[in-house]
Amino acid sequence: MSTLYQLLLKLDVSDLETAKSAWESLARKLETAHKDHRRHVTGPLANWHGDSAKAGKPVLDTLQGQLEAAHVDALLIATVLDTAAVTMKQAQTDLKNAIKSAEQDDYVIDDTTGQVSLPQWLIDAHHDPDQATVLPDYTKAMTGHQDKINQAIKDAKKASDDGEKAIGDVRAQLLDEEDALGQTAVEARDVAKHLGIGPYGIPDGKDVQESAEWWKHLSHDEQQTYIAMYPKQIGALDGLPAVARDEANRLLLDQYLNPAPPGHAINADQFNKQQDGLRALKKKLDAADGAPKGRELYLLKLRQEGDGRAIVAMGNPDTAKNTAVLVPGVNSDLRGAGGEIDRINALRSSARKVHPNESTAVISWIDYDPPNENVPDSDFDLGVVSTGRAKEGGEALRHFTEGTRAAQGGHHSNLTVIGHSYGSTTVGAGAAGGHGLGADNIIAVGSPGMTVKHAGDLNIDPKHVYIGAAKDDPIINNFAGASLGSDTRNDTFGARHFKVDTSGHSGYWDYINGQPSESLTNQGRIITGEPITTTPARNPDHHSGNIPNPFPNVPQGIK
């Protein structure tokens, strides 16, 4: 202990701080190299095919993974050094304060061992009866001073030991391993454990403004460290910038695709389905890495659990003049993310054709658990005829749009929320709850109902609620008005109706003879604030109003 006492008194952490800065600098360079490789190599070569591609692509993919893994490792090492320097410096401060406090009370501190002794005057007067009465109090206080000195030395030693263990968690041979990115998640977990660092500083996410402000006040290196150590939490935090969430979720995606050996048994079939969905999503993301400005993709959320979830934006919603959010319906999960990206591409292209000089971002929002069947026969998911899942999803959607506004800061993008099929039910539930979705426009296409009787119940001016309904849409014709809210086609619903020239339940984003359909063009007009071509609402008085019950064995109005 005596040697440690002297070492702590003389401790100079400047070398640790210099090393920490060097590793942070290296991390920034690796970060740039990784992003440049994505943008200028893997992105442009995403559609490279043939024998040469079969030989070359795996090499390029490995290099990209190595750059990302090295970036994470550099951040972890910088974090270890920084934590050790700060903790040991604090221990030194605590030691000096303990010494100063003891000396102010006239105790004697041995310069070599740090041993605390009674005041000399009390030792000299030990035969004085009056002084002897205070001896127990001084002895007790002496023990307290000694404990503080000892504790400071213990804290310094623990910081040194923990730092040594944590550095050992960052494996030098990591880049040679096939599952390098998966191992970075293990490394981050182990480093955090040895350093006693938890995600305690990360907001709980309930208040999106709090999350936005927290992130804004972090330095770039602090932000990068949080992304490296806690990509799942950062990637899911509504209110954070799209660029930050994308970086965190891309790392998370690569870690999911390169999993470290699990510590427990997993369902092989479920795992394979998850991996298929993740690979399809990554293929889409990689292909867009070399895309022109405005068509780049941002991965705003990712979950592999269950059927998987993903939120993907084309264009940056934080800076775009116009932003649209597309909420899909039944059977939507991670494996269908590629098709949803094609739809948001069509929507963005339509909006750009209407307003070429305005930036538009369109978001595919798959972040709820929709029903699994469109028209079930016998053994079916009751969620199809219930608003329960829509209300759960609507709450999450409302939180997401609030976070989108928070991330935009002072910039107010023209926000349009689009719901397709049961997704329109979810949009309706989200808009009807709380203070609404904060949207400038709401669109429902192929809607079986929006959980409400009137468009005015959606916390938005009904003039900005738009309905698109194909005449032969089987979902509308069989389900509208049955159990999910009023029939949105009716004039009594109070919304505006745009012209639809496409067919079926999923044709609202189709092209006709190589040109955007009127169904698609009208959505582009709404997104950019331009007039639509309209069609009359249906007058329910001209119909029997006796809609056949599509589920004769299920009570109508089920919730």
Side-chain angles (χ1 to χ4, degrees):
M1 186 73 77
S2 61
T3 302
L4 292 177
Y5 171 77
Q6 294 178 51
L7 288 174
L8 185 54
L9 275 179
K10 299 174 182 178
L11 176 68
D12 181 359
V13 298
S14 59
D15 287 344
L16 282 174
E17 293 170 338
T18 299
K20 183 260 303 189
S21 297
W23 279 101
E24 286 178 340
S25 177
L26 176 60
R28 287 191 290 271
K29 292 174 181 177
L30 288 166
E31 175 192 4
T32 300
H34 175 239
K35 289 180 178 179
D36 285 347
H37 192 273
R38 272 179 43 199
R39 190 177 299 113
H40 301 301
V41 181
T42 56
L45 293 177
N47 295 317
W48 181 23
H49 300 291
D51 292 339
S52 57
K54 290 180 181 179
K57 268 191 171 183
V59 176
L60 296 177
D61 289 343
T62 298
L63 178 57
Q64 180 173 316
Q66 288 174 330
L67 288 170
E68 188 171 18
H71 173 223
V72 172
D73 275 1
L75 286 169
L76 292 177
I77 292 173
T79 300
V80 173
L81 295 172
D82 182 50
T83 303
V86 170
T87 307
M88 293 174 75
K89 195 170 184 178
Q90 182 60 55
Q92 185 186 56
T93 299
D94 292 343
L95 176 62
K96 290 180 177 179
N97 287 339
I99 293 171
K100 182 178 180 181
S101 177
E103 289 178 338
Q104 286 176 341
D105 290 343
D106 292 336
Y107 290 95
V108 179
I109 312 297
D110 188 282
D111 293 337
T112 302
T113 65
Q115 185 67 38
V116 182
S117 301
L118 289 169
Q120 189 62 45
W121 62 265
L122 186 58
I123 295 174
D124 293 342
H126 67 281
H127 293 300
D128 185 339
D130 292 333
Q131 299 298 340
T133 60
V134 301
L135 181 61
D137 291 337
Y138 269 87
T139 301
K140 181 178 180 181
M142 179 183 70
T143 301
H145 288 303
Q146 187 69 65
D147 288 344
K148 290 180 180 179
I149 290 174
N150 293 344
Q151 186 61 51
I153 295 171
K154 289 178 181 178
D155 290 344
K157 185 177 187 306
K158 184 177 186 302
S160 177
D161 292 344
D162 289 347
E164 182 180 1
K165 292 175 183 177
I167 285 290
D169 292 327
V170 184
R171 295 158 54 183
Q173 294 80 26
L174 177 70
L175 299 186
D176 296 327
E177 300 178 11
E178 291 185 3
D179 62 343
L181 281 166
Q183 288 293 342
T184 60
V186 177
E187 288 181 341
R189 181 197 66 201
D190 291 344
V191 166
K193 178 181 177 181
H194 281 131
L195 296 182
I197 300 174
Y200 315 117
I202 302 175
D204 60 18
K206 294 179 181 178
D207 186 332
V208 295
Q209 290 292 344
E210 178 189 15
S211 298
E213 288 299 315
W214 169 75
W215 188 259
K216 189 186 303 181
H217 287 88
L218 296 176
S219 69
H220 176 77
D221 291 329
E222 289 171 333
Q223 291 173 351
Q224 288 295 304
T225 299
Y226 272 110
I227 288 173
M229 297 190 75
Y230 302 105
K232 187 173 183 178
Q233 291 91 327
I234 297 301
L237 206 55
D238 289 333
L240 266 58
V243 172
R245 295 182 70 170
D246 176 65
E247 186 173 352
N249 286 312
R250 298 258 189 158
L251 172 58
L252 188 63
L253 173 60
D254 287 336
Q255 289 176 344
Y256 283 161
L257 283 169
N258 298 271
H264 58 279
I266 59 174
N267 182 292
D269 183 58
Q270 183 71 16
F271 176 79
N272 290 334
K273 288 180 179 179
Q274 291 173 352
Q275 289 288 298
D276 288 344
L278 293 169
R279 279 191 290 268
L281 176 61
K282 181 172 176 57
K283 185 176 180 180
K284 281 285 187 180
L285 293 171
D286 286 348
D289 278 340
K293 183 176 176 57
R295 291 193 60 197
E296 67 275 19
L297 295 179
Y298 297 85
L299 184 56
L300 302 182
K301 191 171 183 179
L302 179 66
R303 287 292 179 269
Q304 71 168 348
E305 296 85 3
D307 293 330
R309 301 179 182 185
I311 303 176
V312 181
M314 179 174 286
N316 191 334
D318 300 342
T319 58
K321 180 172 177 56
N322 308 299
T323 300
V325 181
L326 176 62
V327 182
V330 296
N331 301 323
S332 299
D333 57 31
L334 192 58
R335 287 175 293 172
E340 294 303 321
I341 290 173
D342 291 338
R343 286 182 176 178
I344 64 174
N345 182 36
L347 282 167
R348 181 190 171 278
S349 297
S350 176
R352 290 281 293 167
K353 190 167 185 178
V354 174
H355 255 303
N357 297 322
E358 290 185 358
S359 58
T360 296
V362 186
I363 301 168
S364 166
W365 190 86
I366 307 176
D367 194 28
Y368 76 116
D369 185 21
N372 293 322
E373 294 293 338
N374 278 329
V375 185
D377 294 321
S378 56
D379 184 16
F380 61 89
D381 186 344
L382 283 175
V384 176
V385 294
S386 167
T387 59
R389 295 194 185 191
K391 289 179 179 178
E392 291 178 5
E395 186 174 348
L397 176 63
R398 191 162 60 247
H399 197 271
F400 175 76
T401 57
E402 289 174 356
T404 300
R405 290 298 194 199
Q408 290 174 350
H411 167 64
H412 184 93
S413 181
N414 181 48
L415 178 62
T416 301
V417 181
I418 307 167
H420 173 235
S421 189
Y422 194 85
S424 71
T425 312
T426 302
V427 169
H435 298 290
L437 296 174
D440 298 289
N441 310 287
I442 290 176
I443 301 174
V445 290
S447 177
M450 301 185 74
T451 76
V452 296
K453 291 183 177 180
H454 307 288
D457 298 329
L458 299 174
N459 284 303
I460 189 175
D461 185 342
K463 293 180 181 178
H464 290 277
V465 179
Y466 300 86
I467 304 299
K471 292 181 179 180
D472 62 347
D473 188 323
I475 298 302
I476 296 177
N477 292 333
N478 287 291
F479 288 77
S483 63
L484 300 178
S486 297
D487 190 333
T488 60
R489 294 173 297 177
N490 294 341
D491 55 9
T492 53
F493 186 71
R496 300 180 67 189
H497 297 256
F498 61 85
K499 182 179 178 181
V500 170
D501 60 344
T502 49
S503 178
H505 185 58
S506 301
Y508 298 98
W509 302 276
D510 283 353
Y511 280 65
I512 298 176
N513 297 323
Q515 296 298 318
S517 62
E518 193 69 6
S519 306
L520 178 58
T521 299
N522 272 319
Q523 293 177 75
R525 289 169 180 149
I526 296 167
I527 290 170
T528 55
E530 292 298 317
I532 60 171
T533 57
T534 61
T535 190
R538 193 178 75 153
N539 186 337
D541 293 337
H542 294 170
H543 299 264
S544 66
N546 296 320
I547 301 173
N549 182 355
F551 305 109
N553 297 321
V554 178
Q556 293 301 284
I558 186 170
K559 298 298 181 184

